[in-house]
Amino acid sequence: MEIYLPKSCENAPRKKIVADFTIALLKQTEEAVKEHAAPDIQIKYLHEKRTIVGIDDVLSYLQKKRTNEICRVEVDQVLTHGKGSAINGQLFLANEQVIDFCYVYLFASTLKTAKVKEIKSYWLI
C-alpha cells in the first residue's frame, strides 16, 4: 500500500498519531491499533451503519475484514484541536474505484499520550 501524507504530520505529535492510527486501521495492523486505542474505544463506521465498541471487538473486526483492496492512500489534511482531530483524503482501490474518506477522532484527554476514545468514519463511495 502506497501512503502519501502531508509534511505537516512530521512536526506535530498529535497529527502523527492520527495519521499513524488511521493507516493502521486501513492496513489492519493490530499492534499499531493496540498502541493508541483506549480499552473502551468506539468506532462508528457510518458507511456500514456499524458501531464497534472495545479494543477486542475492534481487533476482531479488523481480522475478519482482512483485504488487500486498498492500493494507495492520499491524505489531504490532518487537523487537531484539544481532544479532537480529523483526517481526510482518498483511498484508491485495486478495482480503480476512488473513495473519499474522513475520520473524526476524539481522544480521552488533551495530553500527548492520550488514547483514542472514539472515531467516526465517513466514506463517500
Side-chain angles (χ1 to χ4, degrees):
M1 178 186 302
E2 296 176 57
I3 300 165
Y4 299 93
L5 298 170
K7 294 277 185 208
S8 65
C9 291
E10 296 172 2
N11 60 5
R14 179 64 58 97
K15 286 184 178 185
K16 182 163 176 26
I17 290 169
V18 169
D20 290 349
F21 194 88
T22 301
I23 299 304
L25 287 174
L26 295 171
K27 287 176 115 177
Q28 299 142 333
T29 309
E30 292 182 14
E31 291 306 313
V33 171
K34 286 180 189 177
E35 181 181 350
H36 296 294
D40 60 344
I41 188 171
Q42 185 176 89
I43 301 180
K44 297 177 181 181
Y45 290 100
L46 299 173
H47 58 285
E48 295 179 5
K49 295 179 173 62
R50 177 185 305 240
T51 299
I52 301 168
V53 180
I55 188 70
D56 292 336
D57 287 344
V58 167
L59 294 174
S60 176
Y61 173 78
L62 292 177
Q63 196 167 34
K64 289 177 192 170
K65 191 177 166 136
R66 296 251 180 239
T67 179
N68 294 324
E69 66 182 42
I70 300 173
C71 298
R72 188 170 83 228
V73 179
E74 292 184 8
V75 174
D76 295 330
Q77 298 175 48
V78 181
L79 307 171
T80 62
H81 184 73
K83 290 176 22 177
S85 296
I87 184 170
N88 74 304
Q90 296 79 41
L91 307 174
F92 295 83
L93 307 185
N95 66 4
E96 299 186 6
Q97 182 179 17
V98 179
I99 298 172
D100 289 290
F101 75 92
C102 178
Y103 286 5
V104 179
Y105 282 75
L106 179 64
F107 284 83
S109 74
T110 58
L111 296 174
K112 289 182 202 176
T113 57
K115 301 288 185 179
V116 177
K117 183 93 171 142
E118 180 181 303
I119 300 172
K120 286 187 179 177
S121 169
Y122 301 85
W123 286 24
L124 297 175
I125 300 172

